[in-house]
Each structure stands twice: as C-alpha cells, then as structure tokens.
Amino acid sequence: MAERGLSIVAMGGNSLISPELAPTVANQFQLAARAVAPIADLIEAGERLVITHGNGPQVGFMALRSELSREHIHEVPLDSLVANTQGSLGYMVQRALGEEFRRRRFKHEVVSIVTEVEVFPDDGAFEKPTKPIGRFYTDDESDTLAMERGWDMVYVENQGWRRVVPSPMPQKIVQLPTIRRLLDQGVTVVCCGGGGIPVVRAADGSIDGIEAVVDKDRVSALLGLALGADRLFLTTGTDAIYRDFSTEQRKRIESLTVSDVQAMAVEGQFPPGSMGPKVEAAIDFVASGGLVSVVCSPPKLVEAFAGKAGTRIVSD
C-alpha cells in the first residue's frame, strides 16, 4: 500500500476553552481529551499528521497573570509567554492523544516541540500592531497603559480597550529539520504552537526573541509547504465558510477556488479578526503547491478528511 500523504491539522486555541466551563487547567485537559478524539481516529486509520495549535485565550491568561503580579515578581516578555503556552498546551495535546491511544491499545508515538519561528525585524507589522492579546481595559486604564508602558491599544465596541501587538509574517521554522526527522520515524509531531515563538536572526547567526505574536494559521501553511504536505486543515468555531455569514441570508459553501476566495475577500466577506487570517493561509498553501486547504469545525474533522464536511479551497 502506498504511503499516505502528509496533512497539517491546525487546532484553534479555543478548542480547549468552553463558554460552559471555567477556563481552569483541569477543564482544559478535559476539553483536550474531547478535541483529540477525531485526530486519534485519523491516525489510527493510517493518516500522517502534524498538529499545530493556537494559544489566544491561554496567552491572554498568562499575560494577565504576569501583569497582576508585577509588583511582586518580574513580568514575562511576550516571546516567553508564547513559549510557556507552547509547552503547556503541547503537553495537553500530547498527553490527551497518548491516553486516547492507550485506551484503544494502539501503539503510536506523539511528541510536542517548542518551536521558534523567524520573522524579519523590519516587517511592517512592527509599525502597525494589530493582534489583540489579554483582557479589556477601561478608558482611564488604557490611557495609563499607553503612556506608562508604551502599549498600543485598540477599542472594541461595547467591550473596551485591548492591547494590540505586532503580528509579522513567518519566514522560517527553526526546528524544521528536527520535525522532519521525527516524521521520518513515524512520530506524530505537535509543533508551532501559537504561531511559534517569534525570533529575529542577527548577521552573526544568533537569534533573539521579539515582542510579537505570529499568526498560527499562516505558520501552519508555511510548515505544510516546507514539509511537502498535501493538505491543510484549519479548524474553527464554524463548520464551513459562509457567504454573508452575519446575516439571515448566510449561505454555506462546500468548495471554492483561490479566485473565488479572493473575490469574496474583496467583497469584505472575511473580517480581519475572524475568518480573514484563515482564508489567507488557505490561499497561500494552495497557491504555493499544496493540493487543498479545508476549513471545518473540530468535531467534523474526520468527515472533512473524507470530503463530506467543511469548505475545500483548491487551485483554479
């Protein structure tokens, strides 16, 4: 039997958060066990996967914890917060998958890797921060933070002010050779969590962390292309891409070409803070050589692999 092609599965950070449960570590472990069941189904069926994941809620929790304790202990820089969430969330996914395999008596190795991602220090995103992190603030709190700490703040209607940080384009995955070697050994790898730890490389080859957050879906597309993956699966809170999503006339779409998606983007169908980054990553993957990108909900992942759920994006 021919070896199956490689697929990238990008889990959203919200997969481990539920509005019905307090966001405790114990509850996140419980949700992780539920979230990885479809992934375990696919691996047991012979699919070759690399798993990435978001960290939006979790990095916000850690940033708030660091902020609230700053009178007693040093604050943690943003690149280290991303590293912290990579470790803790990678542990959750790795442990949940391992336990699922144990229950099924299915022998398979899974490992998570703390992954650095190079960005350009002169990326335009550093001049115009757009990625929101952390909690919401009042008008007075926002003014104080902007003046005393130099934070860039953005107002969200009916919720308040929120810190925004740069989200530069990913250029290179530092641990890519290690990821390749593990895949060659048949190991399922969890990597590039939260978009990867943003680092910049100096002329002498050394690297240093930088205050930024890299988009997880863009990194997933970059990773897939670098590994020669056939398919990119981007899971989200909706079961597919819709036209006129926020209206009563919304229409579910099963398949789109790159040109179709670009036309919908021009129409304003994909707001920057929601589906926008996902469709951009999906387009980049397909336009650069990937066979197909699929946007689907986590519970529908197995069906999406069979072409029976989600929205498929293919070349023209």
Side-chain angles (χ1 to χ4, degrees):
M1 181 184 295
E3 187 178 56
R4 304 223 186 161
L6 184 68
S7 298
I8 309 296
V9 174
M11 300 173 59
N14 285 306
S15 297
L16 307 182
I17 297 292
S18 169
E20 301 170 359
L21 296 171
T24 64
V25 172
N27 284 340
Q28 289 184 63
F29 268 108
Q30 177 183 333
L31 292 167
R34 186 188 310 170
V36 301
I39 294 173
D41 289 338
L42 292 166
I43 294 171
E44 190 173 15
E47 296 289 351
R48 299 174 60 234
L49 307 181
V50 175
I51 303 164
T52 66
H53 61 82
N55 70 343
Q58 294 83 6
V59 80
F61 299 154
M62 287 191 174
L64 177 58
R65 186 176 291 114
S66 179
E67 179 189 340
L68 293 175
S69 63
R70 69 180 183 273
E71 299 298 329
H72 305 283
I73 194 170
H74 64 276
E75 287 192 74
V76 181
L78 189 52
D79 58 309
S80 291
L81 290 177
V82 174
N84 288 345
T85 56
Q86 273 198 25
S88 60
L89 295 180
Y91 165 52
M92 284 186 187
V93 175
Q94 173 181 295
R95 193 175 100 179
L97 264 178
E99 285 300 294
E100 186 68 24
F101 293 147
R102 182 187 62 79
R103 282 191 292 272
R104 299 180 184 206
R105 300 183 184 278
F106 176 68
K107 292 186 177 181
H108 187 79
E109 293 181 82
V110 56
V111 67
S112 57
I113 298 178
V114 175
T115 320
E116 297 156 308
V117 172
E118 289 185 38
V119 300
F120 289 150
D122 57 355
D123 190 298
F126 290 105
E127 299 296 323
K128 189 177 180 181
T130 59
K131 185 74 170 179
I133 66 166
R135 67 182 180 95
F136 291 95
Y137 298 91
T138 65
D139 291 350
D140 290 341
E141 288 173 330
S142 174
D143 290 341
T144 299
L145 290 167
M147 287 188 297
E148 293 184 358
R149 313 187 76 184
W151 284 8
D152 292 285
M153 310 294 289
V154 65
Y155 184 72
V156 180
E157 193 70 29
N158 299 321
Q159 296 188 76
W161 293 88
R162 201 174 181 196
R163 183 188 179 190
V164 288
V165 298
S167 184
M169 291 294 292
Q171 303 297 329
K172 184 179 180 181
I173 297 164
V174 176
Q175 282 73 31
L176 186 65
T178 305
I179 295 168
R180 280 202 183 105
R181 286 196 294 272
L182 287 166
L183 291 175
D184 288 343
Q185 295 298 314
V187 178
T188 293
V189 177
V190 182
C191 62
C192 296
I197 304 163
V199 297
V200 293
R201 190 173 294 276
D204 64 359
S206 62
I207 61 174
D208 197 9
I210 193 166
E211 290 271 315
V213 173
V214 183
D215 182 79
K216 172 261 302 177
D217 295 314
R218 288 195 174 105
V219 170
S220 298
L222 177 67
L223 175 68
L225 293 168
L227 293 173
D230 294 329
R231 297 178 291 180
L232 170 66
F233 289 81
L234 304 168
T235 67
T236 184
T238 59
D239 62 338
I241 292 175
Y242 285 77
R243 179 176 290 279
D244 302 323
F245 179 77
S246 58
T247 73
E248 294 181 357
Q249 290 76 38
R250 71 179 195 164
K251 180 181 179 182
R252 184 178 178 280
I253 303 172
E254 293 184 1
S255 183
L256 293 165
T257 66
V258 168
S259 294
D260 292 335
V261 178
Q262 291 170 332
M264 289 180 68
V266 171
E267 294 172 14
Q269 294 283 341
F270 309 123
S274 58
M275 193 63 74
K278 281 186 171 28
V279 296
E280 290 172 7
I283 288 173
D284 288 345
F285 180 73
V286 173
S288 300
L291 292 183
V292 61
S293 297
V294 182
V295 176
C296 65
S297 63
K300 296 289 187 179
L301 186 60
V302 175
E303 294 171 64
F305 263 74
K308 298 178 181 178
T311 300
R312 297 167 58 85
I313 298 172
V314 297
S315 61
D316 295 294

